[in-house]
Amino acid sequence: MNSEQQYIELFQQYKDAICVPCPEVMNRPREEAFKSFCASGFPTLKTERYKYTDVQKAFAPNYGLNLNRIEIKAQTQDIFKCDVPNLSTLLYFVVNDSFNKFEIPSYELPKGITICSLSDAARQYPEIVKKHYARIASGFPTIRQTTDNAAAPGEHDAITDLNTMFAQDGLFVHISKNTKLDKTLQVINLLHAKVDMMINRRVLIVLEESAEAKILFCDHTMDNQNFLTTQVTEVFAGENSSLELYELEETHAKNLRFSNLYINQEAYSRVSVNSLTLQGGTTRNTTYVTLKGHDAEINLYGGVIADKKQHVDNHTLIDHQAPNCQSNELYKYVLDDEAVGAFAGRILVRKDAQKTQSQETNANLCSTPTARMYTQPMLEIYADDVKCNHGATVGQLNEQAIFYMRQRGIPLEEARMLLKFAFIGDVLDKIALEPLRDRLHYLTEKRIRGEFNQCTGCRLCQ
C-alpha cells in the first residue's frame, strides 16, 4: 500500500466528522484538495522538488488524528515562559492545531486588529476568510516555453492538499487598512499528546493596505512522542504593507515537520522572513512568494544548526510577476555528525517583470566528513532588463583560522565553535528586532556548544 492510500481512505471514512465542527468556508476547498491528492499522491524521491526528503517514508506510519476535536488541555502559562528579554510581546498559544482560547493576553487589541482561532474567524468574518483561505496555498507555477511566457496551470503540492483536507483549526491574524500592531505577536506552537500524533495546522495572515505587523512563531514539543506536523501558512500583504515574520524551531528528534508558507505581495509591500532551525528530527520548509504588485520587496533569511541524524530541507520559490521588485535571499547551514541539509532556491522572473533586482546566496559548513549538504540555486529569467545573481558554497572549517586561534591559547573545540558561530552570525544579524536578535545569538551559541538552553521558568527545558 502506498503511503497516501491510508489518508485517502481516512478522509473518505471520516469526512463528515472532519467537516461538522468547521464552518463552510473551511470545508469548501476540501473536495478539490482531495481530488488533487488522489490524482497525484505523495511525491517520490524522483520528484525534483522533493528529491532530498522522503515524503513517502515520513507519512507511512499510522499516526493518530484528533478529528473529533477532543479538547487537549495544557496549562501553558504555568509550564511555559519562552520570554525574550526587553521585547514586549502579545503571547498566544496554539496547542497542536487548536488556538488556546483560555490563555490570551489581557492587553486590549487596538481597533482594526483581530487575532483569534481560524475556525472562529470563519464564523465571525466569513467574507474575509472566504476571500483568502486556500486561495494561494495550492502549488507551484510552471511556464510554457512560448514567446509570451504565459503561466501554465501550477503543479499542486500534495502536502498542501493533505493539510487542506484535514485542517480544522489554527490561527487567524487580520490587520485592517492603515493599522499598526505596535507589539510583536508571539505565537507558541506546542505539540502535546500521549500517543504518536499527526497535526494539521492552518495559519491565515491578512495585512490590508498600509498595515504593519511583526510576528514571531516558536515551535516546541511537550511530550516525547512521535509527531508528524503539517502547517500551511497563507500571507496576504496588501499595498504598502509591512510584515516581519520570524520562525524558530526547537522541537526534538522524533518530530517530522512539513511547513508550507505562501506569500502574496501587492505593490510597495515589504516582507521579511527569518527562519531558524535549532532542534528537530526531519524538517521540510517550503516558501513560495509571489511578487504580484510593482515595487514590492521580499527578504528571505534562514539559518540551520543540525547534528546527529537531523535532516533539514529548505525549498524556496520567488515569483517576480511585476516590474521594479526586489528579492534578497540568504540561507546558511552548519552541519555536524551525520546531519543532512538541502537547499533549493528558484528565482522566477517573468517577461513583464522588468527592472527586477534579485540576490540569492546559500553558504554551508560541513564540520564532519559524514555530514551531507545538497544545494541547488536556480535562476529562470524571461525579462531582459534585470540584475540577478545567485551562488552557493559548501566547505569545511578553516584549518588556518583554527591554527591561528590555537596559537593564541584557544582550545581546539572552542576554536571550532567560535568559527561555527561566526559563520551563522550573518543570518542572525539580518533580524531587525534587536532584543530578538540578541536572544537568538544566545540560543544559537548554546546550541552550537551542545548546551540545551533552559528558559527562565520553563519546565519544558528542564
Side-chain angles (χ1 to χ4, degrees):
M1 179 183 292
N2 293 330
S3 297
E4 60 268 9
Q5 189 60 38
Q6 63 176 318
Y7 298 100
I8 293 173
E9 294 176 358
L10 187 68
F11 183 80
Q12 291 173 326
Q13 183 176 356
Y14 292 98
K15 180 180 176 181
D16 290 342
I18 295 169
C19 293
V20 164
C22 299
E24 175 59 26
V25 291
M26 293 186 67
N27 291 330
R28 174 189 51 79
R30 295 190 198 276
E31 196 62 39
E32 181 181 350
F34 176 68
K35 292 178 182 178
S36 174
F37 182 77
C38 290
S40 64
F42 285 124
T44 68
L45 293 177
K46 294 181 180 180
T47 304
E48 182 68 21
R49 288 183 285 108
Y50 283 95
K51 67 180 182 179
Y52 299 120
T53 300
D54 193 339
V55 178
Q56 292 276 352
K57 180 180 178 181
F59 284 83
N62 185 11
Y63 290 90
L65 283 88
N66 186 16
L67 300 180
N68 292 319
R69 310 309 299 161
I70 298 173
E71 184 179 344
I72 299 177
K73 296 183 178 180
Q75 300 300 320
T76 51
Q77 292 282 9
D78 293 337
I79 67 172
F80 195 86
K81 297 179 181 178
C82 191
D83 59 338
V84 179
N86 302 317
L87 180 64
S88 179
T89 66
L90 293 171
L91 186 61
Y92 292 83
F93 293 90
V94 176
V95 180
N96 295 337
D97 69 333
S98 298
F99 181 86
N100 192 329
K101 306 174 186 178
F102 307 104
E103 297 180 69
I104 59 176
S106 57
Y107 174 81
E108 184 176 348
L109 292 174
K111 184 179 180 181
I113 297 177
T114 303
I115 303 170
C116 66
S117 158
L118 178 58
S119 60
D120 285 350
R123 295 184 182 90
Q124 297 173 23
Y125 316 103
E127 292 305 315
I128 296 177
V129 176
K130 182 179 180 180
K131 182 179 178 181
H132 299 95
Y133 184 74
R135 295 298 182 180
I136 57 175
S138 55
F140 296 80
T142 56
I143 296 291
R144 292 191 184 96
Q145 299 302 314
T146 61
T147 55
D148 61 354
N149 296 316
E155 300 176 15
H156 274 258
D157 181 79
I159 307 298
T160 299
D161 286 335
L162 183 72
N163 181 278
T164 302
M165 288 160 52
F166 289 103
Q168 294 174 293
D169 197 13
L171 176 71
F172 175 76
V173 179
H174 181 263
I175 314 293
S176 298
K177 181 179 179 180
N178 298 322
T179 304
K180 179 180 179 180
L181 181 59
D182 292 325
K183 290 190 174 184
T184 300
L185 168 61
Q186 184 177 8
V187 180
I188 309 296
N189 292 321
L190 292 177
L191 299 179
H192 181 35
K194 299 304 179 184
V195 296
D196 295 349
M197 183 70 70
M198 178 181 182
I199 289 94
N200 299 288
R201 185 189 306 122
R202 201 73 177 216
V203 180
L204 178 59
I205 302 171
V206 181
L207 275 70
E208 295 186 358
E209 181 181 346
S210 299
E212 297 182 31
K214 299 178 179 68
I215 304 175
L216 167 62
F217 289 97
C218 303
D219 284 15
H220 297 272
T221 48
M222 294 179 64
D223 304 287
N224 191 31
Q225 301 291 339
N226 293 307
F227 289 100
L228 172 59
T229 306
T230 74
Q231 176 173 292
V232 173
T233 302
E234 294 176 282
V235 175
F236 293 83
E239 184 173 336
N240 198 42
S241 63
S242 176
L243 173 66
E244 295 176 25
L245 187 63
Y246 303 95
E247 297 180 314
L248 172 64
E249 182 186 2
E250 282 188 297
T251 56
H252 59 45
K254 293 183 178 181
N255 184 46
L256 284 75
R257 179 179 188 265
F258 290 81
S259 174
N260 287 9
L261 170 62
Y262 296 87
I263 302 173
N264 186 81
Q265 294 186 230
E266 300 296 341
Y268 298 106
S269 61
R270 302 167 304 283
V271 176
S272 291
V273 180
N274 297 71
S275 63
L276 183 62
T277 303
L278 294 183
Q279 298 269 13
T282 295
T283 299
R284 161 69 187 216
N285 297 320
T286 299
T287 304
Y288 172 22
V289 181
T290 302
L291 298 175
K292 188 177 180 182
H294 61 86
D295 294 279
E297 179 181 344
I298 179 67
N299 299 290
L300 299 180
Y301 305 118
V304 175
I305 309 292
D307 58 10
K308 300 181 176 63
K309 294 184 179 295
Q310 194 172 347
H311 179 106
V312 183
D313 181 356
N314 281 289
H315 188 102
T316 70
L317 167 61
I318 301 177
D319 186 357
H320 286 261
Q321 296 185 0
N324 297 300
C325 292
Q326 296 186 32
S327 63
N328 301 290
E329 195 168 0
L330 173 64
Y331 278 77
K332 284 195 168 187
Y333 289 62
V334 175
L335 304 177
D336 276 305
D337 302 325
E338 298 178 52
V340 175
F343 172 82
R346 178 183 168 204
I347 306 296
L348 171 59
V349 183
R350 298 182 186 268
K351 182 180 179 181
D352 294 331
Q354 303 293 343
K355 305 294 183 181
T356 288
Q357 296 186 46
S358 178
Q359 176 66 50
E360 179 185 41
T361 304
N362 173 227
N364 310 284
L365 182 61
C366 294
S367 59
T368 60
T370 50
R372 293 289 181 268
M373 183 68 204
Y374 303 93
T375 180
Q376 190 179 17
M378 295 169 280
L379 292 177
E380 188 174 351
I381 301 173
Y382 299 95
D384 53 17
D385 185 6
V386 301
K387 294 180 180 179
C388 298
N389 296 286
H390 72 306
T393 60
V394 180
Q396 299 176 333
L397 291 171
N398 189 317
E399 293 298 332
Q400 290 184 340
I402 292 176
F403 178 78
Y404 178 87
M405 287 188 284
R406 294 195 68 188
Q407 288 293 96
R408 282 148 183 81
I410 300 175
L412 175 60
E413 284 306 311
E414 182 71 14
R416 290 171 61 88
M417 286 185 288
L418 288 173
L419 288 178
K420 294 176 187 177
F421 184 67
F423 180 81
I424 203 72
D426 291 345
V427 173
L428 301 178
D429 289 340
K430 298 294 185 181
I431 296 173
L433 287 173
E434 183 177 355
L436 180 61
R437 182 171 65 247
D438 293 342
R439 182 63 173 173
L440 293 183
H441 270 287
Y442 172 76
L443 292 178
T444 302
E445 182 180 358
K446 289 286 188 180
R447 175 68 176 90
I448 290 175
R449 292 180 180 277
E451 303 172 8
F452 189 79
N453 177 70
Q454 293 190 4
C455 303
T456 304
C458 176
R459 284 189 3 220
L460 295 180
C461 300
Q462 298 176 0

